[in-house]
Amino acid sequence: MSSSNYSRRRLLKTGAATGAALATPTLFTGAAWAQEQGFTNAPTGGTVTLGFNVPQTGPYADEGADELRAFELAVEHLNGEGDGGMLSTFSSQALEGSGILGKRVEYVTGDTQTKSDAARASARSMIEKDGVIMISGGSSSGVAVAVQGLCQEAGIIFMAGLTHSNDTTGKDRKANGFRHFFNAYQSAAAMGPVLESLYGNDRKAYHLTADYTWGWTTQESMQAATEALGWETVNNVLTPLASTDFSSYIAPVLQSGADVLFLNHYGGNMVNSLTNAVQFGLKEAQANGKDFQIVVPLYSELMARGAGQNIAGIPGSQNWDWKLENQLGEKYKGTNDFVQAFGEKYGFPPSQAAHTCYVQTLLYADAVQRAGSFNPCAVVEALEGFEFDGLGNGPTLYRAEDHQCFKDVVVVRGKENPENEFDLVEIVEVTPTEAVTYPHDHPMFAGGELGECNPGA
């Protein structure tokens, strides 16, 4: 590789010249990509359309509603409306509030219904009827995997929303797909030491697990992490995603010999299963001479609000928390700007789902801007190996080998005495990036290949 080519590529990945800090990037690939023969839904007028495909119905609808709020806010900021949010803190500084490559950003929405088939149908309609050039959203990993596969086939970029299964950037990874949200392995890596500190290394765990890709990989990851501490896994019971009453699954737990219950559930499922567990007296129970404990590996402020007082004392993990910058300082810059913009528009702080969707929208727009083209393969090149900061998580890398973001992971616990309905979760620890980083061919992520970028038509 010539020195000039190396310098060009480094500018695209970091926005910094050799020896410089992250700075305004140079646009160098636009002319080359503009010579391409065409790509799916190439914008020709003064606007560009993005597709936001979220669960507006189903067990994850609360998360979907917050995602839509964040998408709307991101579009406003890209178009130069509002206070600009994270545009001013984002290290790249390629976005100026003038749309994307001078085109005003428009968007369409769809309802995934938290169902893979419905999500694919909605995404296909966006591509074929609405002419979207990028799709984002979703709060289910089953949905994410399905839509990511469709976007790969169609030649559309997929900027995944809330998807936590290892498979999204593991066996089901695709060249046209990118994930900012963390994954089940990273949750387990962060939570393992905290669980040992809280509960010791002599515990017996019982798992209730949502019966789809996210539940399976979350349970697998948590089991591996806790057995490495010396814990024993007593049982793992799969529960249908459509379940609303988990009483029949909770009843056998106290007779199982377990003293910890893992609820590998999300959204409304977690609110219902935790409620049932508390109704059965698990939070006050004793087992094996110890206080019985409940763990929810992944939960959000939205879920905490739904669970109410039941969330008190329950440990879990998050991709981001709205209190990060206030509590832990400048490293997590961008957080306060986003919280302020979101709060002024909607009257309450954003969830982790809102945050990752807002960030993904900016990251896509920034990649297009730096590449000088909407061509999906130009976007892929711009995002692979991209290092950035100022979007609320601290320094972050979009790893080229699997399109997974690597950044700090937040371990939380439900507050015992919250001050208000938006202050239900406390930050216990922030686990540094290096402690949650793994080889791209780790066994939990094996079996898939990115393949080649598909520009479509």
Side-chain angles (χ1 to χ4, degrees), residues 80-91:
E81 301 164 10
D83 65 6
M86 288 181 170
L87 265 62
S88 62
T89 60
F90 186 11
S91 58

Side-chain angles (χ1 to χ4, degrees), residues 53-73:
N53 204 23
V54 307
Q56 299 183 51
T57 57
Y60 297 169
D62 286 348
E63 307 285 331
D66 224 35
E67 290 180 344
L68 278 184
R69 295 182 190 107
F71 283 134
E72 181 180 345
L73 186 64

Side-chain angles (χ1 to χ4, degrees), residues 284-309:
E284 290 76 35
Q286 291 269 316
N288 304 322
K290 307 178 182 71
D291 291 338
F292 197 96
Q293 303 294 339
I294 301 173
V295 177
V296 178
L298 175 70
Y299 70 86
S300 67
E301 293 271 2
L302 287 174
M303 291 158 59
R305 205 178 310 160
Q309 184 57 33

